[in-house]
Amino acid sequence: MFKLRGIQDLYDWQRTCLNLDCVQRRKNLIYSLPTSGGKTLVAEILVLRELLCRRKDCLFILPYISLVQEKVRGLASFGLELDFLVEEYAGSKGRFPPVKRRNNRSVYIATIEKAHSLVNSLIETGRMEDLGLVVVDELHMLGDGSRGAIIEMTLAKVLFTSKSTQVIGMSATLGNIKDLQTFLRAENYTSDFRPVQLKEYVKLTDTIYEVDPTEEECFKFSRLLNFKYSSSMQKVDPDHIIALVTEVIPTHSCLVFCPTKKNCENVVGMICKYLKKEFLALRQPEKAVLLRELRASGSGSACPVLRRTVPYGLAYHHSGLTSEERKLVEEAYSNGVLCLLTCTSTLAAGVNLPARRVILRSPYVASDFLKRSQYKQMVGRAGRAGIDPVGESVLILQDADRDAAKTLVCAPMEKCYSNLLRDGRRGLLSLILSLIGLNICSSVGRVMDFLCATLLCVQQEALCAETSLKEEVQRCVDLLKDKDLVTETAHVQTLQVTKLGRATFKGSVDLSYSDLLYKDLSKGLEGLLLNSCLHLVYLVTPYDMITQCRPDWMVFFRQLTDAEQKMSAAVGVPESFIARKAAGQTVRKPVNMEVVSRMYLALVLFSLLKETNLWSVSERFHLSRGFIQSLLGSSSAFCSCVLHFTEELEEFWPFRALLTELTRRLSYCVTAELIPLMEVAGVMESRAKQLYNAGYQTLTQLANADPALLSNAIENLFPKRANQIVASAKMLLNEKAAALQEEVDELLMKP
């Protein structure tokens, strides 16, 4: 840790936690601390212990692709030094089942969805005993909708199928942590430690109050704002954001959380107008480099808002930016080139970007009032260990929200509940289908035995108030039979999956869409148009993104060439319909609008694959760059799911080779020569172009690069990042070589 991270000592709580009796005896553990308390380091030490001492594989589950890539980069140097492999399971990446290594151990870094598929593949191949440790970051996400249901399914399967796999959960403080302890058969360690003291404040009109739960009103007078506002300035900034930020920037850093993406851009633009010209001179060369990199990432285009704000050391950060733009902004902020970010709540849940002061522009996310857990995650970003003596948060309030805000800042933490019954029992249906498909259960009775190992069972009195858990299970089994996903043999009442059922759970396809996907693929077999890849792209355009975009009819009409008109008509969207909509005329003949929207999104993806220029596609379709990139990422992941789906159904054999190549194209969406470089965790398109132009044109060349020379050759590539890129490239090369060696050994093995 000292050599690779510079960590000389542990905090007292970390030492205590690692020496707990339950940890020493490899019992399951949930540990809860405030944000920035140093939770991740404990998990990494436990992972290293499992890999090196017990020689077992580990699974590290993280909520977002960006966090997976960051963790892969962070652990790659440890893997090279200590001889283990770091494998990425995110988006379309990851092998199922993973390559079985004879000599090397692996740590699988996975998103929630990929971790579930990985565990399924290990159960199916009888390899669960190889998995020594499962670490779950943000365990409280068990209570977070459909993704929470997937975490619960994954952990329940681990607990049920392996007696030797240890489970470690990192969680925010919860109001019902005992429910999670019962579910995971785990002990709990809790501490309120923070390396930097956090002081919470609220602002009403021009007065700052300190949050104090011991006070009857919850708020204690602290001070009045000391900033002279002109009448025109008061109209532009009635919430005194400029006063609050200029108390700390540019000497210290500041995050301003805004309720919407548009508000982020408006607020950062407003602050810039009233900053002194001295801000322009600070770190001017580095800001110029950042602007050049932003232009390079946009193939010569840069966001006009960022062009105006970056010279002042300010930027915004939300999902409307591409992942490359967000990464550049994050690195510039971490290195002090930027001193202020306006951002949405997603930044608090993702990357770790601390600040001296955190300002919450409003107690809302869009139109929804903040949850206590969201509030704690945001204010937890205040205070940088080793830099700031204290961290401050300021929540800006209007009088109307005063009472609700008292509950927000002073109430106990929310409780976490199972989501298996949410959205018409989607989670429970998916769980039962996979249990039958994996031969874990073959009857309703066995399913009930398994459910005793779930959070749903622990909380059944609260969640199954109207019907019993057994009745819920029977309803799900009956529904799976109706959907032709499961059959039951009459004489012995044994449950089995059908071919469609097996394809559905092996492909991780949502049960809501499996029948529709089968019909779409079957129709595609009858007349798949391959004069372009548009028809294939349509078949892998995610169903769950259809509602997120409304077609611009004139753009839709102009994008259709003769070949595309024919393909559009083949799926049920005739040119005459689009022409009438574009002209604002009434359409008499009914058309399936979900198919229309899916066709429109397929056209967006098709244009992107042809041009690989996200900016021009964004402008043509009037969609944000971030949305298009999100669509691309979801499509590559869904394409991978559809590929696994077709592998289980013999009639779809023609799709397999086509979808294998399409998955690769959707995953990177760049010219072919850049793909080997972009396979390295965290290397985006503009960085890949820089590396390629500097002579690092293959994975082997990059893996054998000198990090110091690489840092000098590539503009704005700091030595730490250069080391991570080279380490990640070496790790990927080792992983590919090891996989090939395993194949060779298997071929040469004597019978």
Side-chain angles (χ1 to χ4, degrees), residues 1 14 17-20 22-29 31 39-54 56-58 60 107 132-135 166-170:
M1 280 292 174
Q14 291 171 328
C17 186
L18 287 167
N19 287 303
L20 289 171
C22 65
V23 174
Q24 298 298 319
R25 292 188 292 116
R26 297 191 68 258
K27 300 295 182 186
N28 298 342
L29 174 71
Y31 60 101
K39 295 192 289 285
T40 305
L41 181 59
V42 169
E44 289 177 347
I45 290 171
L46 291 172
V47 165
L48 293 175
R49 185 187 74 173
E50 195 70 22
L51 289 163
L52 302 176
C53 300
R54 297 192 70 246
K56 292 286 187 179
D57 296 330
C58 299
F60 206 128
V107 54
L133 176 66
V134 175
V135 174
Q166 184 183 18
V167 176
I168 302 289
M170 295 180 274

mmCIF file of all heavy atoms in Angstrom, residues 1 14 17-20 22-29 31 39-54 56-58 60 107 132-135 166-170:
data_model
loop_
_atom_site.group_PDB
_atom_site.id
_atom_site.type_symbol
_atom_site.label_atom_id
_atom_site.label_comp_id
_atom_site.label_asym_id
_atom_site.label_seq_id
_atom_site.Cartn_x
_atom_site.Cartn_y
_atom_site.Cartn_z
ATOM 1 N N MET A 1 0.833 -1.205 0.000
ATOM 2 C CA MET A 1 0.000 0.000 0.000
ATOM 3 C C MET A 1 0.872 1.262 0.000
ATOM 4 O O MET A 1 0.550 2.248 -0.653
ATOM 5 C CB MET A 1 -0.915 0.014 1.231
ATOM 6 C CG MET A 1 -2.137 -0.860 1.094
ATOM 7 S SD MET A 1 -3.283 -0.231 -0.142
ATOM 8 C CE MET A 1 -4.471 -1.556 -0.192
ATOM 9 N N GLN A 14 -10.151 1.687 10.906
ATOM 10 C CA GLN A 14 -9.798 0.684 9.897
ATOM 11 C C GLN A 14 -9.044 -0.478 10.535
ATOM 12 O O GLN A 14 -9.303 -1.653 10.234
ATOM 13 C CB GLN A 14 -8.947 1.331 8.793
ATOM 14 C CG GLN A 14 -9.722 2.321 7.930
ATOM 15 C CD GLN A 14 -8.833 3.108 6.989
ATOM 16 O OE1 GLN A 14 -7.671 3.405 7.306
ATOM 17 N NE2 GLN A 14 -9.354 3.476 5.830
ATOM 18 N N CYS A 17 -11.534 -2.505 12.588
ATOM 19 C CA CYS A 17 -12.428 -3.279 11.718
ATOM 20 C C CYS A 17 -11.717 -4.513 11.159
ATOM 21 O O CYS A 17 -12.263 -5.619 11.160
ATOM 22 C CB CYS A 17 -12.933 -2.387 10.586
ATOM 23 S SG CYS A 17 -14.177 -3.161 9.542
ATOM 24 N N LEU A 18 -10.481 -4.335 10.694
ATOM 25 C CA LEU A 18 -9.736 -5.455 10.110
ATOM 26 C C LEU A 18 -9.383 -6.519 11.147
ATOM 27 O O LEU A 18 -9.154 -7.680 10.796
ATOM 28 C CB LEU A 18 -8.457 -4.935 9.437
ATOM 29 C CG LEU A 18 -8.670 -4.178 8.122
ATOM 30 C CD1 LEU A 18 -7.404 -3.434 7.722
ATOM 31 C CD2 LEU A 18 -9.100 -5.134 7.014
ATOM 32 N N ASN A 19 -9.334 -6.114 12.416
ATOM 33 C CA ASN A 19 -8.987 -7.068 13.477
ATOM 34 C C ASN A 19 -10.204 -7.607 14.225
ATOM 35 O O ASN A 19 -10.048 -8.296 15.233
ATOM 36 C CB ASN A 19 -8.016 -6.412 14.470
ATOM 37 C CG ASN A 19 -6.621 -6.272 13.873
ATOM 38 O OD1 ASN A 19 -6.007 -7.251 13.462
ATOM 39 N ND2 ASN A 19 -6.134 -5.045 13.796
ATOM 40 N N LEU A 20 -11.405 -7.294 13.736
ATOM 41 C CA LEU A 20 -12.611 -7.847 14.360
ATOM 42 C C LEU A 20 -12.564 -9.370 14.319
ATOM 43 O O LEU A 20 -12.088 -9.967 13.346
ATOM 44 C CB LEU A 20 -13.865 -7.365 13.621
ATOM 45 C CG LEU A 20 -14.269 -5.894 13.778
ATOM 46 C CD1 LEU A 20 -15.400 -5.563 12.813
ATOM 47 C CD2 LEU A 20 -14.694 -5.593 15.211
ATOM 48 N N CYS A 22 -14.952 -11.449 13.824
ATOM 49 C CA CYS A 22 -15.717 -12.011 12.697
ATOM 50 C C CYS A 22 -14.929 -11.934 11.393
ATOM 51 O O CYS A 22 -15.041 -12.818 10.530
ATOM 52 C CB CYS A 22 -17.061 -11.293 12.554
ATOM 53 S SG CYS A 22 -16.935 -9.555 12.108
ATOM 54 N N VAL A 23 -14.110 -10.886 11.234
ATOM 55 C CA VAL A 23 -13.287 -10.760 10.025
ATOM 56 C C VAL A 23 -12.185 -11.816 10.036
ATOM 57 O O VAL A 23 -11.914 -12.467 9.021
ATOM 58 C CB VAL A 23 -12.686 -9.339 9.918
ATOM 59 C CG1 VAL A 23 -11.709 -9.245 8.750
ATOM 60 C CG2 VAL A 23 -13.794 -8.300 9.759
ATOM 61 N N GLN A 24 -11.559 -11.990 11.196
ATOM 62 C CA GLN A 24 -10.496 -12.992 11.312
ATOM 63 C C GLN A 24 -11.027 -14.401 11.043
ATOM 64 O O GLN A 24 -10.331 -15.241 10.477
ATOM 65 C CB GLN A 24 -9.872 -12.939 12.720
ATOM 66 C CG GLN A 24 -9.200 -11.607 13.064
ATOM 67 C CD GLN A 24 -8.040 -11.284 12.138
ATOM 68 O OE1 GLN A 24 -7.254 -12.150 11.787
ATOM 69 N NE2 GLN A 24 -7.949 -10.023 11.716
ATOM 70 N N ARG A 25 -12.281 -14.650 11.451
ATOM 71 C CA ARG A 25 -12.872 -15.980 11.251
ATOM 72 C C ARG A 25 -13.641 -16.073 9.928
ATOM 73 O O ARG A 25 -14.345 -17.033 9.694
ATOM 74 C CB ARG A 25 -13.797 -16.318 12.427
ATOM 75 C CG ARG A 25 -13.039 -16.527 13.736
ATOM 76 C CD ARG A 25 -13.924 -17.057 14.854
ATOM 77 N NE ARG A 25 -14.909 -16.070 15.295
ATOM 78 C CZ ARG A 25 -16.224 -16.225 15.178
ATOM 79 N NH1 ARG A 25 -16.723 -17.306 14.623
ATOM 80 N NH2 ARG A 25 -17.052 -15.288 15.610
ATOM 81 N N ARG A 26 -13.501 -15.030 9.074
ATOM 82 C CA ARG A 26 -14.118 -14.993 7.744
ATOM 83 C C ARG A 26 -15.642 -15.083 7.807
ATOM 84 O O ARG A 26 -16.275 -15.712 6.964
ATOM 85 C CB ARG A 26 -13.562 -16.087 6.832
ATOM 86 C CG ARG A 26 -12.077 -15.958 6.523
ATOM 87 C CD ARG A 26 -11.626 -16.894 5.416
ATOM 88 N NE ARG A 26 -12.188 -16.508 4.130
ATOM 89 C CZ ARG A 26 -13.208 -17.104 3.546
ATOM 90 N NH1 ARG A 26 -13.829 -18.107 4.133
ATOM 91 N NH2 ARG A 26 -13.648 -16.711 2.368
ATOM 92 N N LYS A 27 -16.229 -14.438 8.787
ATOM 93 C CA LYS A 27 -17.685 -14.335 8.840
ATOM 94 C C LYS A 27 -18.115 -13.122 8.008
ATOM 95 O O LYS A 27 -17.324 -12.223 7.728
ATOM 96 C CB LYS A 27 -18.164 -14.165 10.291
ATOM 97 C CG LYS A 27 -17.778 -15.323 11.211
ATOM 98 C CD LYS A 27 -18.449 -16.605 10.794
ATOM 99 C CE LYS A 27 -18.107 -17.752 11.738
ATOM 100 N NZ LYS A 27 -18.650 -19.038 11.263
ATOM 101 N N ASN A 28 -19.378 -13.095 7.639
ATOM 102 C CA ASN A 28 -19.889 -11.973 6.845
ATOM 103 C C ASN A 28 -19.954 -10.705 7.695
ATOM 104 O O ASN A 28 -20.200 -10.767 8.901
ATOM 105 C CB ASN A 28 -21.273 -12.303 6.287
ATOM 106 C CG ASN A 28 -21.236 -13.501 5.352
ATOM 107 O OD1 ASN A 28 -20.176 -13.877 4.856
ATOM 108 N ND2 ASN A 28 -22.385 -14.117 5.113
ATOM 109 N N LEU A 29 -19.747 -9.563 7.034
ATOM 110 C CA LEU A 29 -19.687 -8.292 7.758
ATOM 111 C C LEU A 29 -20.324 -7.174 6.939
ATOM 112 O O LEU A 29 -20.134 -7.087 5.728
ATOM 113 C CB LEU A 29 -18.217 -7.922 8.046
ATOM 114 C CG LEU A 29 -17.965 -6.539 8.668
ATOM 115 C CD1 LEU A 29 -18.439 -6.506 10.120
ATOM 116 C CD2 LEU A 29 -16.488 -6.161 8.586
ATOM 117 N N TYR A 31 -20.233 -3.038 7.208
ATOM 118 C CA TYR A 31 -19.710 -1.907 7.978
ATOM 119 C C TYR A 31 -20.202 -0.594 7.379
ATOM 120 O O TYR A 31 -20.281 -0.432 6.171
ATOM 121 C CB TYR A 31 -18.187 -1.959 8.135
ATOM 122 C CG TYR A 31 -17.341 -1.937 6.895
ATOM 123 C CD1 TYR A 31 -16.711 -0.768 6.479
ATOM 124 C CD2 TYR A 31 -17.108 -3.097 6.154
ATOM 125 C CE1 TYR A 31 -15.896 -0.749 5.366
ATOM 126 C CE2 TYR A 31 -16.292 -3.093 5.037
ATOM 127 C CZ TYR A 31 -15.692 -1.908 4.647
ATOM 128 O OH TYR A 31 -14.882 -1.896 3.533
ATOM 129 N N LYS A 39 -13.847 3.766 3.725
ATOM 130 C CA LYS A 39 -14.406 2.402 3.708
ATOM 131 C C LYS A 39 -13.719 1.505 2.678
ATOM 132 O O LYS A 39 -13.467 0.334 2.923
ATOM 133 C CB LYS A 39 -15.913 2.449 3.392
ATOM 134 C CG LYS A 39 -16.775 3.129 4.426
ATOM 135 C CD LYS A 39 -18.254 2.871 4.188
ATOM 136 C CE LYS A 39 -18.814 3.579 2.981
ATOM 137 N NZ LYS A 39 -19.016 5.020 3.181
ATOM 138 N N THR A 40 -13.429 2.072 1.502
ATOM 139 C CA THR A 40 -12.955 1.254 0.383
ATOM 140 C C THR A 40 -11.613 0.594 0.678
ATOM 141 O O THR A 40 -11.372 -0.544 0.262
ATOM 142 C CB THR A 40 -12.849 2.121 -0.890
ATOM 143 O OG1 THR A 40 -14.106 2.745 -1.120
ATOM 144 C CG2 THR A 40 -12.494 1.280 -2.094
ATOM 145 N N LEU A 41 -10.733 1.275 1.398
ATOM 146 C CA LEU A 41 -9.403 0.721 1.681
ATOM 147 C C LEU A 41 -9.506 -0.586 2.462
ATOM 148 O O LEU A 41 -8.762 -1.541 2.194
ATOM 149 C CB LEU A 41 -8.559 1.744 2.454
ATOM 150 C CG LEU A 41 -7.131 1.303 2.809
ATOM 151 C CD1 LEU A 41 -6.337 0.960 1.556
ATOM 152 C CD2 LEU A 41 -6.419 2.387 3.610
ATOM 153 N N VAL A 42 -10.428 -0.654 3.419
ATOM 154 C CA VAL A 42 -10.619 -1.889 4.194
ATOM 155 C C VAL A 42 -11.015 -3.031 3.261
ATOM 156 O O VAL A 42 -10.482 -4.144 3.342
ATOM 157 C CB VAL A 42 -11.689 -1.684 5.292
ATOM 158 C CG1 VAL A 42 -12.101 -3.011 5.920
ATOM 159 C CG2 VAL A 42 -11.172 -0.743 6.363
ATOM 160 N N ALA A 43 -11.950 -2.755 2.349
ATOM 161 C CA ALA A 43 -12.402 -3.782 1.400
ATOM 162 C C ALA A 43 -11.249 -4.249 0.521
ATOM 163 O O ALA A 43 -11.090 -5.447 0.261
ATOM 164 C CB ALA A 43 -13.537 -3.233 0.542
ATOM 165 N N GLU A 44 -10.418 -3.313 0.060
ATOM 166 C CA GLU A 44 -9.292 -3.679 -0.810
ATOM 167 C C GLU A 44 -8.281 -4.547 -0.066
ATOM 168 O O GLU A 44 -7.728 -5.500 -0.636
ATOM 169 C CB GLU A 44 -8.628 -2.412 -1.353
ATOM 170 C CG GLU A 44 -9.479 -1.690 -2.382
ATOM 171 C CD GLU A 44 -8.867 -0.399 -2.885
ATOM 172 O OE1 GLU A 44 -7.900 0.091 -2.265
ATOM 173 O OE2 GLU A 44 -9.359 0.133 -3.891
ATOM 174 N N ILE A 45 -8.035 -4.247 1.204
ATOM 175 C CA ILE A 45 -7.105 -5.069 1.997
ATOM 176 C C ILE A 45 -7.657 -6.488 2.158
ATOM 177 O O ILE A 45 -6.922 -7.479 2.046
ATOM 178 C CB ILE A 45 -6.844 -4.406 3.370
ATOM 179 C CG1 ILE A 45 -6.012 -3.128 3.180
ATOM 180 C CG2 ILE A 45 -6.126 -5.369 4.322
ATOM 181 C CD1 ILE A 45 -5.877 -2.271 4.427
ATOM 182 N N LEU A 46 -8.974 -6.606 2.384
ATOM 183 C CA LEU A 46 -9.593 -7.931 2.518
ATOM 184 C C LEU A 46 -9.532 -8.705 1.199
ATOM 185 O O LEU A 46 -9.335 -9.926 1.188
ATOM 186 C CB LEU A 46 -11.042 -7.787 2.986
ATOM 187 C CG LEU A 46 -11.223 -7.282 4.427
ATOM 188 C CD1 LEU A 46 -12.693 -6.997 4.713
ATOM 189 C CD2 LEU A 46 -10.676 -8.289 5.430
ATOM 190 N N VAL A 47 -9.695 -7.994 0.080
ATOM 191 C CA VAL A 47 -9.579 -8.630 -1.245
ATOM 192 C C VAL A 47 -8.159 -9.160 -1.443
ATOM 193 O O VAL A 47 -7.957 -10.306 -1.874
ATOM 194 C CB VAL A 47 -9.950 -7.623 -2.364
ATOM 195 C CG1 VAL A 47 -9.489 -8.130 -3.734
ATOM 196 C CG2 VAL A 47 -11.451 -7.377 -2.385
ATOM 197 N N LEU A 48 -7.161 -8.339 -1.121
ATOM 198 C CA LEU A 48 -5.759 -8.763 -1.281
ATOM 199 C C LEU A 48 -5.455 -9.965 -0.385
ATOM 200 O O LEU A 48 -4.752 -10.899 -0.792
ATOM 201 C CB LEU A 48 -4.812 -7.600 -0.950
ATOM 202 C CG LEU A 48 -4.848 -6.410 -1.921
ATOM 203 C CD1 LEU A 48 -3.958 -5.281 -1.419
ATOM 204 C CD2 LEU A 48 -4.423 -6.829 -3.319
ATOM 205 N N ARG A 49 -5.991 -9.971 0.828
ATOM 206 C CA ARG A 49 -5.771 -11.102 1.739
ATOM 207 C C ARG A 49 -6.338 -12.391 1.148
ATOM 208 O O ARG A 49 -5.699 -13.449 1.191
ATOM 209 C CB ARG A 49 -6.427 -10.812 3.095
ATOM 210 C CG ARG A 49 -6.155 -11.887 4.146
ATOM 211 C CD ARG A 49 -6.943 -11.658 5.420
ATOM 212 N NE ARG A 49 -8.356 -11.982 5.241
ATOM 213 C CZ ARG A 49 -9.252 -11.998 6.224
ATOM 214 N NH1 ARG A 49 -8.880 -11.664 7.454
ATOM 215 N NH2 ARG A 49 -10.507 -12.304 5.995
ATOM 216 N N GLU A 50 -7.542 -12.286 0.570
ATOM 217 C CA GLU A 50 -8.191 -13.473 0.000
ATOM 218 C C GLU A 50 -7.416 -14.002 -1.208
ATOM 219 O O GLU A 50 -7.223 -15.209 -1.371
ATOM 220 C CB GLU A 50 -9.626 -13.117 -0.408
ATOM 221 C CG GLU A 50 -10.521 -14.302 -0.680
ATOM 222 C CD GLU A 50 -10.876 -15.090 0.566
ATOM 223 O OE1 GLU A 50 -10.799 -14.528 1.684
ATOM 224 O OE2 GLU A 50 -11.222 -16.276 0.428
ATOM 225 N N LEU A 51 -6.961 -13.086 -2.058
ATOM 226 C CA LEU A 51 -6.231 -13.481 -3.264
ATOM 227 C C LEU A 51 -4.875 -14.104 -2.936
ATOM 228 O O LEU A 51 -4.470 -15.104 -3.542
ATOM 229 C CB LEU A 51 -6.005 -12.255 -4.159
ATOM 230 C CG LEU A 51 -7.233 -11.666 -4.870
ATOM 231 C CD1 LEU A 51 -6.935 -10.256 -5.356
ATOM 232 C CD2 LEU A 51 -7.653 -12.543 -6.046
ATOM 233 N N LEU A 52 -4.176 -13.515 -1.968
ATOM 234 C CA LEU A 52 -2.790 -13.913 -1.704
ATOM 235 C C LEU A 52 -2.674 -15.024 -0.666
ATOM 236 O O LEU A 52 -1.826 -15.910 -0.799
ATOM 237 C CB LEU A 52 -1.977 -12.692 -1.241
ATOM 238 C CG LEU A 52 -1.953 -11.505 -2.212
ATOM 239 C CD1 LEU A 52 -1.214 -10.330 -1.605
ATOM 240 C CD2 LEU A 52 -1.333 -11.901 -3.541
ATOM 241 N N CYS A 53 -3.511 -14.982 0.364
ATOM 242 C CA CYS A 53 -3.380 -15.955 1.460
ATOM 243 C C CYS A 53 -4.205 -17.216 1.212
ATOM 244 O O CYS A 53 -3.737 -18.326 1.460
ATOM 245 C CB CYS A 53 -3.783 -15.316 2.789
ATOM 246 S SG CYS A 53 -2.776 -13.877 3.222
ATOM 247 N N ARG A 54 -5.437 -17.041 0.737
ATOM 248 C CA ARG A 54 -6.296 -18.208 0.528
ATOM 249 C C ARG A 54 -6.316 -18.659 -0.929
ATOM 250 O O ARG A 54 -6.894 -19.688 -1.249
ATOM 251 C CB ARG A 54 -7.726 -17.906 0.995
ATOM 252 C CG ARG A 54 -7.826 -17.621 2.495
ATOM 253 C CD ARG A 54 -9.272 -17.613 2.973
ATOM 254 N NE ARG A 54 -9.860 -18.943 2.966
ATOM 255 C CZ ARG A 54 -10.853 -19.334 2.181
ATOM 256 N NH1 ARG A 54 -11.366 -18.493 1.294
ATOM 257 N NH2 ARG A 54 -11.345 -20.557 2.248
ATOM 258 N N LYS A 56 -7.969 -17.558 -3.498
ATOM 259 C CA LYS A 56 -9.334 -17.658 -4.014
ATOM 260 C C LYS A 56 -9.667 -16.410 -4.836
ATOM 261 O O LYS A 56 -9.123 -15.328 -4.602
ATOM 262 C CB LYS A 56 -10.343 -17.781 -2.860
ATOM 263 C CG LYS A 56 -10.259 -19.092 -2.086
ATOM 264 C CD LYS A 56 -10.850 -20.240 -2.885
ATOM 265 C CE LYS A 56 -10.924 -21.513 -2.058
ATOM 266 N NZ LYS A 56 -11.514 -22.628 -2.831
ATOM 267 N N ASP A 57 -10.594 -16.566 -5.788
ATOM 268 C CA ASP A 57 -11.050 -15.427 -6.592
ATOM 269 C C ASP A 57 -11.951 -14.521 -5.757
ATOM 270 O O ASP A 57 -12.555 -14.960 -4.769
ATOM 271 C CB ASP A 57 -11.830 -15.915 -7.821
ATOM 272 C CG ASP A 57 -10.967 -16.730 -8.772
ATOM 273 O OD1 ASP A 57 -9.753 -16.466 -8.829
ATOM 274 O OD2 ASP A 57 -11.507 -17.632 -9.446
ATOM 275 N N CYS A 58 -12.057 -13.260 -6.177
ATOM 276 C CA CYS A 58 -12.897 -12.280 -5.473
ATOM 277 C C CYS A 58 -13.795 -11.559 -6.473
ATOM 278 O O CYS A 58 -13.438 -11.393 -7.639
ATOM 279 C CB CYS A 58 -12.037 -11.242 -4.749
ATOM 280 S SG CYS A 58 -10.959 -11.941 -3.485
ATOM 281 N N PHE A 60 -15.881 -7.910 -6.773
ATOM 282 C CA PHE A 60 -16.067 -6.563 -6.213
ATOM 283 C C PHE A 60 -17.203 -5.906 -6.998
ATOM 284 O O PHE A 60 -17.058 -5.644 -8.191
ATOM 285 C CB PHE A 60 -14.770 -5.756 -6.362
ATOM 286 C CG PHE A 60 -14.591 -4.659 -5.350
ATOM 287 C CD1 PHE A 60 -13.419 -4.564 -4.606
ATOM 288 C CD2 PHE A 60 -15.573 -3.705 -5.141
ATOM 289 C CE1 PHE A 60 -13.230 -3.555 -3.668
ATOM 290 C CE2 PHE A 60 -15.408 -2.689 -4.209
ATOM 291 C CZ PHE A 60 -14.232 -2.617 -3.468
ATOM 292 N N VAL A 107 -9.547 -11.052 -9.545
ATOM 293 C CA VAL A 107 -10.574 -10.242 -8.895
ATOM 294 C C VAL A 107 -11.443 -9.689 -10.016
ATOM 295 O O VAL A 107 -10.952 -9.057 -10.952
ATOM 296 C CB VAL A 107 -9.975 -9.117 -8.008
ATOM 297 C CG1 VAL A 107 -8.997 -8.231 -8.753
ATOM 298 C CG2 VAL A 107 -11.097 -8.271 -7.405
ATOM 299 N N GLY A 132 -13.945 -16.820 -3.238
ATOM 300 C CA GLY A 132 -13.705 -16.740 -1.800
ATOM 301 C C GLY A 132 -14.355 -15.553 -1.124
ATOM 302 O O GLY A 132 -14.699 -15.608 0.059
ATOM 303 N N LEU A 133 -14.531 -14.446 -1.868
ATOM 304 C CA LEU A 133 -15.003 -13.208 -1.245
ATOM 305 C C LEU A 133 -15.851 -12.407 -2.226
ATOM 306 O O LEU A 133 -15.497 -12.274 -3.398
ATOM 307 C CB LEU A 133 -13.793 -12.359 -0.805
ATOM 308 C CG LEU A 133 -14.073 -10.969 -0.217
ATOM 309 C CD1 LEU A 133 -14.818 -11.068 1.110
ATOM 310 C CD2 LEU A 133 -12.774 -10.190 -0.027
ATOM 311 N N VAL A 134 -16.968 -11.885 -1.733
ATOM 312 C CA VAL A 134 -17.800 -10.945 -2.500
ATOM 313 C C VAL A 134 -17.876 -9.649 -1.699
ATOM 314 O O VAL A 134 -18.275 -9.654 -0.531
ATOM 315 C CB VAL A 134 -19.224 -11.494 -2.736
ATOM 316 C CG1 VAL A 134 -20.091 -10.440 -3.433
ATOM 317 C CG2 VAL A 134 -19.184 -12.768 -3.564
ATOM 318 N N VAL A 135 -17.473 -8.542 -2.327
ATOM 319 C CA VAL A 135 -17.555 -7.217 -1.697
ATOM 320 C C VAL A 135 -18.614 -6.406 -2.433
ATOM 321 O O VAL A 135 -18.597 -6.331 -3.665
ATOM 322 C CB VAL A 135 -16.199 -6.476 -1.769
ATOM 323 C CG1 VAL A 135 -16.340 -5.052 -1.240
ATOM 324 C CG2 VAL A 135 -15.133 -7.220 -0.980
ATOM 325 N N GLN A 166 -17.190 -15.572 1.647
ATOM 326 C CA GLN A 166 -17.443 -14.496 2.608
ATOM 327 C C GLN A 166 -18.075 -13.308 1.888
ATOM 328 O O GLN A 166 -17.710 -12.988 0.756
ATOM 329 C CB GLN A 166 -16.124 -14.071 3.263
ATOM 330 C CG GLN A 166 -16.270 -13.031 4.362
ATOM 331 C CD GLN A 166 -14.923 -12.592 4.932
ATOM 332 O OE1 GLN A 166 -13.882 -12.797 4.305
ATOM 333 N NE2 GLN A 166 -14.935 -12.006 6.114
ATOM 334 N N VAL A 167 -19.033 -12.647 2.539
ATOM 335 C CA VAL A 167 -19.687 -11.461 1.967
ATOM 336 C C VAL A 167 -19.378 -10.254 2.850
ATOM 337 O O VAL A 167 -19.601 -10.287 4.060
ATOM 338 C CB VAL A 167 -21.214 -11.654 1.862
ATOM 339 C CG1 VAL A 167 -21.882 -10.371 1.356
ATOM 340 C CG2 VAL A 167 -21.550 -12.819 0.938
ATOM 341 N N ILE A 168 -18.855 -9.201 2.226
ATOM 342 C CA ILE A 168 -18.557 -7.946 2.924
ATOM 343 C C ILE A 168 -19.381 -6.843 2.267
ATOM 344 O O ILE A 168 -19.319 -6.660 1.048
ATOM 345 C CB ILE A 168 -17.058 -7.582 2.825
ATOM 346 C CG1 ILE A 168 -16.174 -8.694 3.405
ATOM 347 C CG2 ILE A 168 -16.788 -6.243 3.509
ATOM 348 C CD1 ILE A 168 -16.231 -8.842 4.900
ATOM 349 N N GLY A 169 -20.161 -6.122 3.049
ATOM 350 C CA GLY A 169 -20.981 -5.038 2.507
ATOM 351 C C GLY A 169 -20.588 -3.699 3.099
ATOM 352 O O GLY A 169 -20.451 -3.573 4.317
ATOM 353 N N MET A 170 -20.380 -2.709 2.219
ATOM 354 C CA MET A 170 -20.127 -1.331 2.667
ATOM 355 C C MET A 170 -21.416 -0.549 2.484
ATOM 356 O O MET A 170 -21.995 -0.558 1.397
ATOM 357 C CB MET A 170 -19.019 -0.691 1.833
ATOM 358 C CG MET A 170 -17.665 -1.327 1.998
ATOM 359 S SD MET A 170 -16.424 -0.493 0.973
ATOM 360 C CE MET A 170 -16.630 -1.336 -0.586
#
